[in-house]
Amino acid sequence: MRAMPRLRRAAGADAGTLLLLLGIGLFWGLNWPAVRIGLTELQPFTLRSVGFVAGGGILALIARLRGEALMPRREELPRLVLAGLLSVMGFNVLTAFGQLATETSRAAILAFTMPLWATLMATAMGERLTGERIVALLAGMAGLMLLLGPDLLVAGGSPLGSLLVLGAAVSWAAGTLVLKSRTWSLGPVALAAWLIGVSTPPVLLGSALLEQPWQLGWPSPPVVGAMLYHIALPMVFCHAAWVTLVGRLPAPVAAIGTLLIPVVGVISAVLLLGEPLGARKLAALLLVTGAVATVLVGPALRRGPGS
């Protein structure tokens, strides 16, 4: 069976890697308002159940059509289950409940403190923390803090929501390190299908026991549209792309790349909702994009195209 590819030049990024990062930044960024629309009529476990069943099934079908093996090695199963429960179930369930208890904009930004936790965990496990990564991490986190601004000082009357989303960030970071801890026998699409698949039974159980979704009527067209988007791009494309990136890049580098995601929220608010782009938002955008360029593009440019 073919192992997941790993780039030798892990600190840099080729054009394909950058395109995957941009796709993740765009589609996962737009997923925050999509999920919030879904939560207006669907409860958290039910919403995640729909996304997991459909997204996992589509990924498994794509993996089969690509000729990827669908069964992992027996020794991989414990770590595979742990990676899925942390990076998929833990993150998705906690953010869904968190969005019900706090503003979506605050939730999106708090969730993407994930690079901080991933970097700290990776360093504790012995991965080298270079000066370049430190600068990029500090710049990116400073950008996120600017986006949230003074709201960080006040929980907005919903400290539980903020704590749930911070827990989601820690869960995603830990799951990313578990995913990064070995070379898997599965291809990236099959691996993404498994990560979602092992997360599906707990959310189905939570939906059945706590929410009784069979009593719900057919959702409205905006919710249906939001869920179709949520399944096709964030669940299917982004999970497969994320697994691919984690196989190519060091965990802190891949994590810093996700800082593009909350930036999409600012840009879409300016272009689609007419919100002003003030000095604070502009400074945050420059810091975050500068962080991504420093850690991904800078090393590749210094090596040159033939290195």
Side-chain angles (χ1 to χ4, degrees), residues 34-180:
V35 167
R36 191 64 189 89
I37 292 171
L39 287 170
T40 60
E41 298 180 18
L42 302 175
Q43 292 179 289
F45 278 118
T46 299
L47 183 146
R48 294 309 186 190
S49 295
V50 173
F52 286 4
V53 170
I58 292 171
L59 282 167
L61 177 60
I62 293 173
R64 187 67 176 174
L65 293 175
R66 283 166 50 95
E68 294 185 14
L70 292 179
M71 291 303 297
R73 296 171 181 165
R74 182 177 299 178
E75 65 270 16
E76 293 177 326
L77 281 173
R79 201 172 298 187
L80 183 57
V81 171
L82 180 60
L85 294 179
L86 287 171
S87 63
V88 176
M89 190 196 77
F91 180 81
N92 282 274
V93 170
L94 289 173
T95 54
F97 279 100
Q99 279 188 265
L100 290 178
T102 191
E103 295 175 351
T104 296
S105 59
R106 179 186 289 116
I109 294 170
L110 290 175
F112 290 95
T113 58
M114 185 277 269
L116 174 63
W117 314 119
T119 299
L120 293 176
M121 291 176 190
T123 302
M125 295 169 63
E127 186 157 343
R128 183 167 171 259
L129 185 63
T130 65
E132 193 168 57
R133 289 183 193 171
I134 292 174
V135 170
L137 181 62
L138 292 176
M141 296 306 297
L144 292 185
M145 297 307 102
L146 278 174
L147 285 177
L148 190 56
D151 289 342
L152 276 179
L153 302 177
V154 180
S158 303
L160 178 60
S162 297
L163 290 174
L164 286 172
V165 178
L166 282 173
V170 173
S171 183
W172 184 15
T176 297
L177 293 179
V178 174
L179 188 61
K180 181 69 182 174

Side-chain angles (χ1 to χ4, degrees), residues 139-140 259-260 263 267 282-295 297:
L259 292 169
L260 286 171
V263 173
I267 296 175
L282 181 59
L285 289 173
L286 292 174
L287 282 167
V288 171
T289 54
V292 175
T294 298
V295 78
V297 181

Side-chain angles (χ1 to χ4, degrees), residues 135-291:
V135 170
L137 181 62
L138 292 176
M141 296 306 297
L144 292 185
M145 297 307 102
L146 278 174
L147 285 177
L148 190 56
D151 289 342
L152 276 179
L153 302 177
V154 180
S158 303
L160 178 60
S162 297
L163 290 174
L164 286 172
V165 178
L166 282 173
V170 173
S171 183
W172 184 15
T176 297
L177 293 179
V178 174
L179 188 61
K180 181 69 182 174
S181 65
R182 65 169 296 142
T183 299
W184 301 90
S185 63
L186 298 173
V189 179
L191 183 54
W194 267 92
L195 294 175
I196 295 174
V198 300
S199 303
T200 301
V203 297
L204 286 173
L205 183 62
S207 176
L209 294 179
L210 302 176
E211 298 172 356
Q212 300 179 329
W214 51 85
Q215 296 182 353
L216 296 174
W218 186 256
S220 65
V223 171
V224 171
M227 290 304 297
L228 289 175
Y229 169 83
H230 170 67
I231 292 166
L233 293 171
M235 291 303 299
V236 174
F237 171 82
C238 290
H239 277 94
W242 175 247
V243 170
T244 301
L245 288 175
V246 171
R248 293 181 178 184
L249 301 170
V253 177
I256 291 171
T258 64
L259 292 169
L260 286 171
I261 298 171
V263 173
V264 172
V266 176
I267 296 175
S268 61
V270 171
L271 297 179
L272 301 177
L273 304 178
E275 295 183 2
L277 180 61
R280 181 161 57 91
K281 289 181 181 178
L282 181 59
L285 289 173
L286 292 174
L287 282 167
V288 171
T289 54

